Amino acid sequence: MRVLVVQAHPHAESFNQAICEVAIRSLQANGHAVDLIDLYAEGFVAAMSAAERLAYECPEPILSEQVRRHAALVGQADAVVFVYPTWWFGVPAVLKGWLDRVMVPGVAFRLDAKTNKVKRGLGNVRRIAGITTYGSSRCNVALMSDGGRRLIGRCFRLMTHTWCRRTWLGLYDMDRATDADRQRFLERVAEVMGSW
């Protein structure tokens, strides 16, 4: 299986970086080919430009070579894994911007010419996973409707294969997590990614 990992954390020595490394190693140990997009390391610009917005509904909506490369990686992937910290009960701005700029018509979906209804564009993607850390408790995250999980597990999933399987791994209460808590979470990530 070809797996695309999308990482969204600005600090190269963060716990999220450790999560990303464990996920990649576990996937590779299980024989999967892994591509990595590290949004901050690549200097990905989150904001859609005025020119990109004007081109959005044109036959060629992608204007950036970097965005074109990312779209190609998504188009080749059998699975996509998102690794990010939950900030303000949602995904970091750079990840939301990546979805805005890369998941455009012709990539994530197509509009039926007759009905103008959305048709899935990522039928190649049969598995998705979200791996995140939450500063808040599971209860508080649930009260706030877990925006990142809804965005990835519902919205992004709607563009994938009809029978796409979802996996969600969250470390809650990160602000109070001990070294032992973090280690257990890394072991869980290794176990789950290693079982794919």
Side-chain angles (χ1 to χ4, degrees):
M1 185 163 63
R2 187 172 199 95
V3 183
L4 175 62
V5 176
V6 181
Q7 153 81 331
H9 196 287
H11 198 290
E13 295 176 18
S14 68
F15 183 63
N16 271 96
Q17 180 63 34
I19 292 169
C20 187
E21 290 170 5
V22 165
I24 290 171
R25 276 196 312 269
S26 301
L27 288 161
Q28 288 173 333
N30 206 19
H32 303 302
V34 179
D35 295 304
L36 171 65
I37 295 174
D38 186 329
L39 295 172
Y40 281 99
E42 288 192 22
F44 188 83
V45 176
M48 180 183 283
S49 70
E52 286 174 317
R53 183 59 193 105
L54 289 173
Y56 189 84
E57 295 174 27
C58 295
E60 295 294 329
I62 296 177
L63 305 179
S64 155
E65 189 54 44
Q66 181 187 43
V67 172
R68 191 173 290 108
R69 183 175 56 80
H70 290 191
L73 288 171
V74 175
Q76 297 164 2
D78 302 300
V80 181
V81 177
F82 296 92
V83 181
Y84 69 93
T86 295
W87 293 336
W88 282 91
F89 299 99
V91 299
V94 72
L95 180 52
K96 177 60 170 71
W98 184 82
L99 292 166
D100 289 342
R101 294 182 65 212
V102 178
M103 298 297 111
V104 295
V107 177
F109 62 94
R110 289 161 184 74
L111 291 176
D112 184 280
K114 292 180 182 177
T115 65
N116 211 31
K117 289 187 177 180
V118 172
K119 293 190 169 243
R120 300 168 191 264
L122 297 174
N124 54 293
V125 177
R126 294 176 174 267
R127 290 197 84 150
I128 58 172
I131 308 174
T132 189
T133 55
Y134 300 91
S136 297
S137 68
R138 184 184 297 261
C139 180
N140 284 343
V141 170
L143 285 172
M144 297 304 290
S145 301
D146 200 348
R149 188 172 189 165
R150 284 184 303 131
L151 180 64
I152 292 167
R154 293 183 190 173
C155 300
F156 181 79
R157 190 203 170 280
L158 281 174
M159 301 302 115
T160 64
H161 191 275
T162 305
W163 305 112
C164 181
R165 294 172 58 194
R166 293 174 284 190
T167 299
W168 199 261
L169 299 169
L171 175 60
Y172 298 88
D173 259 340
M174 176 65 181
D175 296 344
R176 290 184 288 276
T178 65
D179 288 343
D181 294 331
R182 288 188 290 276
Q183 184 57 41
R184 277 192 298 274
F185 187 70
L186 290 176
E187 290 167 3
R188 178 76 176 129
V189 170
E191 175 190 351
V192 172
M193 293 292 99
S195 70
W196 275 23

